[in-house]
Amino acid sequence: MTQETGTEFQVRLADVELTHAVAQFYFHEAELLDDGRFADWLEIFDEDLFYFAPLRTNRLRRQAALSIGQRGEAAYFDETKESLAWRIRRYDSGMAWAEDPPSRTRHLISNVMVRHTAEDELTVRCAFLVYRNRLQTETDIYAGGRTDVVRVQPDGGFKVAKREILFDANVLQAKNLSTFF
């Protein structure tokens, strides 16, 4: 749903009610992650999910477009719903030693911007700050942004079909990356 203005195209922002509903959906997602309810979290995703967090590099301003990795290049995450399900099953098996005992996390979501991109599809951008603590001294803070393709369901609910996670840091200092975003 775009509107042409002269030679520019402008994507229509969602109204306040829809934006609020999507923000509540994201806050619920954060609650599921912080409560360790990963199997329930997995249900917010559509079956054809693409979950991607590309690597970043430092580039000169004239090469800024090359600073974010593309699909098929090295990435922190390059997942499907099925591969995320395998990771969750591994957590539950007790074999994920990096998460036994489990981390304590706090997912903060802000700056939620919702745009209509198709009749039943939205593009949603948001910022995140994730605090992770494990054992006594392991503490990590991740900051970044997400761009999601969200499908509006017939019942009015939402499913995430695509998620691109972009960390603000180009090198993550964490010992492992077992946190979901």
Side-chain angles (χ1 to χ4, degrees), residues 42-72:
L42 192 61
E43 292 308 309
I44 73 161
F45 297 110
D46 227 338
E47 294 306 314
D48 61 343
L49 171 69
F50 177 58
Y51 184 93
F52 184 64
L55 295 182
R56 295 183 88 160
T57 57
N58 291 327
R59 299 286 183 141
L60 296 174
R61 197 174 292 276
R62 68 180 174 270
Q63 297 176 319
L66 301 174
S67 69
I68 299 170
Q70 300 300 309
R71 191 171 188 173

Side-chain angles (χ1 to χ4, degrees), residues 51-116:
Y51 184 93
F52 184 64
L55 295 182
R56 295 183 88 160
T57 57
N58 291 327
R59 299 286 183 141
L60 296 174
R61 197 174 292 276
R62 68 180 174 270
Q63 297 176 319
L66 301 174
S67 69
I68 299 170
Q70 300 300 309
R71 191 171 188 173
E73 297 178 351
Y76 291 111
F77 298 112
D78 188 349
E79 307 263 7
T80 64
K81 187 171 182 177
E82 184 177 339
S83 66
L84 288 174
W86 275 104
R87 287 181 59 199
I88 290 168
R89 283 193 292 273
R90 187 168 178 266
Y91 283 0
D92 293 340
S93 74
M95 296 304 295
W97 296 339
E99 283 300 316
D100 197 11
S103 298
R104 291 172 297 280
T105 62
R106 183 68 53 209
H107 289 72
L108 305 175
I109 305 296
S110 70
N111 301 20
V112 178
M113 293 293 296
V114 181
R115 292 176 173 84
H116 292 276

Side-chain angles (χ1 to χ4, degrees), residues 8-180:
E8 297 178 21
F9 286 89
Q10 182 180 28
V11 176
R12 186 170 52 97
L13 289 174
D15 62 31
V16 172
E17 189 175 321
L18 180 58
T19 300
H20 177 73
V22 171
Q24 292 300 305
F25 172 73
Y26 278 18
F27 300 155
H28 177 67
E29 176 191 8
E31 179 181 57
L32 293 172
L33 288 170
D34 293 339
D35 290 348
R37 296 171 48 199
F38 302 122
D40 293 336
W41 170 73
L42 192 61
E43 292 308 309
I44 73 161
F45 297 110
D46 227 338
E47 294 306 314
D48 61 343
L49 171 69
F50 177 58
Y51 184 93
F52 184 64
L55 295 182
R56 295 183 88 160
T57 57
N58 291 327
R59 299 286 183 141
L60 296 174
R61 197 174 292 276
R62 68 180 174 270
Q63 297 176 319
L66 301 174
S67 69
I68 299 170
Q70 300 300 309
R71 191 171 188 173
E73 297 178 351
Y76 291 111
F77 298 112
D78 188 349
E79 307 263 7
T80 64
K81 187 171 182 177
E82 184 177 339
S83 66
L84 288 174
W86 275 104
R87 287 181 59 199
I88 290 168
R89 283 193 292 273
R90 187 168 178 266
Y91 283 0
D92 293 340
S93 74
M95 296 304 295
W97 296 339
E99 283 300 316
D100 197 11
S103 298
R104 291 172 297 280
T105 62
R106 183 68 53 209
H107 289 72
L108 305 175
I109 305 296
S110 70
N111 301 20
V112 178
M113 293 293 296
V114 181
R115 292 176 173 84
H116 292 276
T117 49
E119 185 176 329
D120 62 347
E121 201 170 85
L122 308 167
T123 297
V124 183
R125 293 187 65 184
C126 69
F128 66 82
L129 186 67
V130 177
Y131 170 85
R132 174 186 176 260
N133 179 268
R134 184 171 175 273
L135 302 173
Q136 293 178 354
T137 58
E138 289 182 33
T139 300
D140 300 303
I141 297 175
Y142 306 95
R146 299 186 320 205
T147 302
D148 291 351
V149 172
V150 176
R151 293 184 182 134
V152 180
Q153 302 301 294
D155 67 359
F158 305 106
K159 292 273 187 179
V160 177
K162 179 180 177 188
R163 172 164 290 169
E164 184 171 325
I165 303 153
L166 192 58
F167 295 105
D168 288 340
N170 69 323
V171 176
L172 300 180
Q173 302 293 319
K175 291 180 182 178
N176 62 55
L177 194 54
S178 58
T179 304
F180 295 114

